[in-house]
Amino acid sequence: MLDFDPQYSTPRIEAIGRFIDKHYALARPVSCRMLQRGLNDVYLVTASNGERYVFRLSHHRSRGRADVRTETAFLTHLRGAGVPVAAPVPTRDGALFVQGEAPEGPREGVLFQEVSGRDPSPTDAGDARANGRTLALMHYAAQTFSSEGAVYRLDLEHLLHRPHAQIRDSGLIEDADVLSDLESIAARTARAIEAYQNLTWIYCHGDCHGFNARINDAGEAVFFDFDDGGPGYLAYDLSVFLWAKVSFGRSLTPMWTAFIDGYRAIRPITPHDFEAALRFVIVRHFWLMGEYASRANEWGSNTVGWIAREAAFLNAWEAENFADRLF
């Protein structure tokens, strides 16, 4: 019996290699190297014939278990529709994901072929347009995908209310004025979004901030990292890119214009969806703060303490974009 109840364990590299050997028909032996540890554990896997793959081992998150069944089904649908994405590699028995036992409980794994190409540049308008085009292609293909059975819906409860509660209850913010400020911002944002008529609902990538992609030789943005996806607001899927260009002191709004130009070259955006994306920048920031707040006992309060300072950004974004509509 363990003296301590683990919240999050890190498997040995050798164990990951054996696990992949067991479940996947790759050229043996395989070598593994951890790329990152965080919301998920991600490994570079190289087979003996030189072929390279990425293995993602899902983390237990506050929202619940990873919905790898819907995610891998959606990726397979996108690949069949010609959308440039990193599709899952089937196991020996044809499954698109696997499950292994860790001390904290079962964890799901998915193997992907490594996406070739370069990292997108944060200041390259061509890369921004490429991201917009691929997101539009993805949304077109999503119209013929059935998300029935999806575990998560990217609605206001998932994106705003639950994260706000995690921030409030984490104890990371001791200033009552800041807590009150966040409460007011969240309430105003929810009311404003709920007042829109007929916002488009689509299967979302959920994390299209511009860097969950590689730019291939054809100039396409090849998407990966769909584990925050699900049926949700199209305006939110657009907003994540804008949020990445304006949050944490950044001022890269020309990249947003290029991104939207790329999207509109493939697919139109309704005026309400476009306007709502500005509001969803606030929602996205709450979502991120909530994710970090939920990790306080794992990562430590020093690592996640930055969220106590973020009311200033949210207030500034409101004042800049909705000063005549605050209520």
Side-chain angles (χ1 to χ4, degrees):
M1 181 176 179
L2 295 174
D3 290 329
F4 302 104
D5 182 16
Q7 181 174 342
Y8 174 30
S9 64
T10 303
R12 294 181 182 275
I13 289 292
E14 297 81 6
I16 293 294
R18 290 193 299 270
F19 188 77
I20 291 170
D21 266 343
K22 175 183 177 181
H23 291 284
Y24 293 93
L26 308 186
R28 297 182 180 184
V30 301
S31 64
C32 300
R33 172 164 56 91
M34 178 177 269
L35 296 176
Q36 69 179 43
R37 178 181 189 271
L39 296 181
N40 298 298
D41 293 341
V42 182
Y43 301 84
L44 176 66
V45 179
T46 306
S48 61
N49 61 0
E51 292 184 351
R52 290 157 61 99
Y53 305 83
V54 172
F55 182 68
R56 190 194 71 212
L57 188 61
S58 295
H59 197 322
H60 287 208
R61 297 171 68 170
S62 60
R63 68 186 184 192
R65 297 276 292 280
D67 187 12
V68 289
R69 186 178 304 279
T70 308
E71 176 195 359
T72 54
F74 184 55
L75 285 169
T76 303
H77 174 80
L78 294 180
R79 175 59 66 88
V83 181
V85 296
V89 176
T91 65
R92 293 179 184 277
D93 61 5
L96 297 178
F97 62 92
V98 292
Q99 189 175 84
E101 286 296 328
E104 66 272 24
R107 295 176 65 178
E108 297 78 15
V110 183
L111 185 71
F112 305 89
Q113 283 207 298
E114 185 188 38
V115 176
S116 61
R118 59 175 176 81
D119 291 338
S121 165
T123 58
D124 188 309
D127 290 356
R129 279 191 292 272
N131 268 272
R133 289 175 64 89
T134 297
L135 187 65
L137 290 170
M138 191 204 87
H139 286 162
Y140 256 133
Q143 294 176 128
T144 56
F145 175 73
S146 173
S147 60
E148 183 178 355
V151 177
Y152 303 109
R153 290 168 55 86
L154 276 58
D155 54 16
L156 290 182
E157 178 60 32
H158 181 87
L159 298 170
L160 178 63
H161 299 311
R162 181 180 56 83
H164 175 233
Q166 290 168 332
I167 298 163
R168 183 192 62 221
D169 298 340
S170 68
L172 294 167
I173 301 177
E174 299 178 355
D175 189 322
D177 290 338
V178 173
L179 286 171
S180 177
D181 218 5
L182 291 176
E183 180 84 33
S184 298
I185 294 168
R188 285 195 298 269
T189 301
R191 286 197 298 268
I193 290 171
E194 289 165 351
Y196 282 108
Q197 299 295 317
N198 301 319
L199 289 181
T200 302
W201 193 259
I202 197 78
Y203 198 96
C204 297
H205 179 283
D207 206 19
C208 183
H209 48 56
F211 300 102
N212 282 328
R214 292 288 182 271
I215 306 299
N216 64 18
D217 291 341
E220 298 173 310
V222 183
F223 280 5
F224 55 85
D225 205 6
F226 281 71
D227 65 312
D228 284 316
Y233 291 103
L234 182 145
Y236 174 72
D237 230 15
L238 296 174
S239 77
V240 174
F241 192 90
L242 175 58
W243 164 85
K245 303 307 175 188
V246 298
S247 58
F248 300 108
R250 292 182 285 251
S251 182
L252 296 168
T253 50
M255 298 304 103
W256 165 245
T257 301
F259 173 80
I260 290 299
D261 286 346
Y263 190 100
R264 284 176 167 155
I266 302 295
R267 190 172 189 271
I269 304 171
T270 71
H272 279 178
D273 287 331
F274 184 73
E275 184 179 356
L278 300 180
R279 294 281 186 183
F280 273 105
V281 167
I282 294 173
V283 173
R284 169 64 178 194
H285 211 64
F286 267 99
W287 176 86
L288 183 72
M289 292 190 296
E291 284 291 303
Y292 271 72
S294 74
R295 293 297 215 288
N297 290 334
E298 179 188 326
W299 293 346
S301 59
N302 286 347
T303 301
V304 303
W306 58 268
I307 67 175
R309 303 186 295 271
E310 294 308 300
F313 163 70
L314 297 172
N315 276 319
W317 184 256
E318 272 196 321
E320 180 181 344
N321 293 281
F322 317 115
D324 58 338
R325 286 175 281 177
L326 295 180
F327 50 90

